[in-house]
Amino acid sequence: MTTATAQAHPNIAFIKYWGDLDPCLRIPSNGSLSMNLAGLETRTRVSFDVLLQGDHVTVNGQVMGGAGLERVSALLDRVREMACMRPFARVESENNFPMGAGIASSASAFAALALAASSAAGLSMSEQQLSRLARSGSGSACRSVPGGFVEWQAGQTDEESYAFSIAPAGHWDLVDCIVVVSQVHKPVGSTEGHALALTSPLQSARVADALRRLDLCRRAVCERDFEAFADIVELDSNLMHAVMITSTPPLLYWQPATVAVMRAVQDWRNGGLPVCYTIDAGPNVHILCPGEQADEVEERLQSIEGVQQVLMARPGGPAKLV
Ligand code: DP6
């Protein structure tokens, strides 16, 4: 039996991945850029065992079956093929953050799985190869392999589509205040959502302008220019939600409290506080601000009606073996 344990952080995208060029390989329609979230993590232990009759997966102690298990097995199959081995695996995964809090666990889960599984299989993979392997399980997981501030180069083939760090975690003290307004499980997940993107007449315009937004965001992060950063991050989030709302069927993830937080953040920024929002495929809102303003922003967020919980996360490191 061979075993390895790995740990990875989830990430928040500043420039979003929405829609696939190739849904099987998870080659995205556009490049994206994110920050890993320190303090939040998935820890995954993989053991290949000749005595197992099939892959056995638990997440936070619950046995996984159905489509979730198939998705994990598909990644394990890739590893078995690369390592020329046959045994099934026991996978035990734990998240230290609440599952219903609207923080995508698939990114940290598949990044940790890629590293633990490849290592347990005796493969020594480069960061780029690991990022590609993680991507096959969940697109955004490729961005949880490198550390800090990370760009996913879209590419057009499996070899070209991977993520790399543009700055380490210590580069910029940026804080993500994760505002939980609903713990209800989202009705349409990201995988289904990506497949609907092209039904929106706005997706082609969104994708056509994506390289420009990516360039502006990369520059703002590298120069720690919060003002430029805030403008481009909100524009990119709004564009993705415009596509979602105009898809067939339409995807409207926002709740009244989502909009209340968006409005408050806009008012605060107009009043001189450096702060901006970004929203993924769910009702919860990620509020970004420089570290010096984090306490003030947290306090203001707690006073908005409908806000259930605020989690704070600073830039996090790469996926690693533990
Ligand atoms: C809105 O990576 O979760 O969070 O590849 O189907 O697992 P799958 O999709 P996923 O999509 C992320 C969508 C997003 C934006 C982003 O993180 O870039």
Side-chain angles (χ1 to χ4, degrees), residues 17 27 37 41 43 45 59 75 85 115 120 124 126 137 147 157 172 199 218 223 252-253 261 268 275 293:
Y17 152 46
I27 311 284
L37 301 175
E41 63 189 45
R43 190 177 270 250
R45 182 182 142 101
V59 177
L75 190 146
M85 64 190 280
L115 180 54
S124 165
S126 66
T157 61
W172 194 11
T199 65
R218 188 191 308 109
E223 296 176 357
L252 178 58
Y253 288 108
V261 173
W268 299 342
V275 62
Q293 275 76 33

Side-chain angles (χ1 to χ4, degrees), residues 13 16-17 26 71 106 138-140 143 190-191 194 240 280-281:
K16 308 290 190 190
Y17 152 46
R26 290 187 153 84
R71 210 164 148 182
S106 68
S138 173
S140 56
R143 297 189 310 238
S190 300
T191 306
H194 291 298
M240 181 181 73
D280 281 342

Side-chain angles (χ1 to χ4, degrees), residues 57-106:
V57 181
T58 59
V59 177
N60 293 339
Q62 302 268 350
V63 177
M64 187 175 243
L69 174 63
E70 276 173 34
R71 210 164 148 182
V72 172
S73 284
L75 190 146
L76 292 169
D77 284 343
R78 285 186 145 221
V79 171
R80 282 186 278 256
E81 202 183 309
M82 282 187 275
C84 301
M85 64 190 280
R86 301 172 71 122
F88 289 111
R90 187 182 312 282
V91 177
E92 292 151 293
S93 193
E94 307 275 344
N95 296 316
N96 76 346
F97 52 93
M99 290 285 269
I103 306 153
S105 56
S106 68

Side-chain angles (χ1 to χ4, degrees), residues 169-238:
H171 166 74
W172 194 11
D173 182 26
L174 202 63
V175 177
D176 181 11
C177 313
I178 305 155
V179 183
V180 180
V181 301
S182 165
Q183 312 239 9
V184 177
H185 197 72
K186 55 189 175 192
V188 179
S190 300
T191 306
E192 285 170 80
H194 291 298
L196 296 179
L198 267 179
T199 65
S200 164
L202 302 184
Q203 171 71 350
S204 54
R206 182 190 155 273
V207 170
D209 183 55
L211 262 184
R212 185 189 70 90
R213 295 193 304 279
L214 195 59
D215 284 346
L216 285 172
C217 188
R218 188 191 308 109
R219 192 177 320 152
V221 168
C222 289
E223 296 176 357
R224 303 182 196 92
D225 178 347
F226 191 85
E227 229 175 281
F229 173 79
D231 286 343
I232 204 66
V233 166
E234 281 189 5
L235 172 65
D236 192 81
S237 174
N238 290 343

Side-chain angles (χ1 to χ4, degrees), residues 1-5 45-50 52 79 83 85 87-90 116-123:
M1 190 167 79
T2 46
T3 300
T5 304
R45 182 182 142 101
V46 176
S47 313
F48 287 101
D49 185 342
V50 287
L52 286 172
V79 171
M85 64 190 280
F88 289 111
R90 187 182 312 282
S118 58
S119 175
L123 294 168

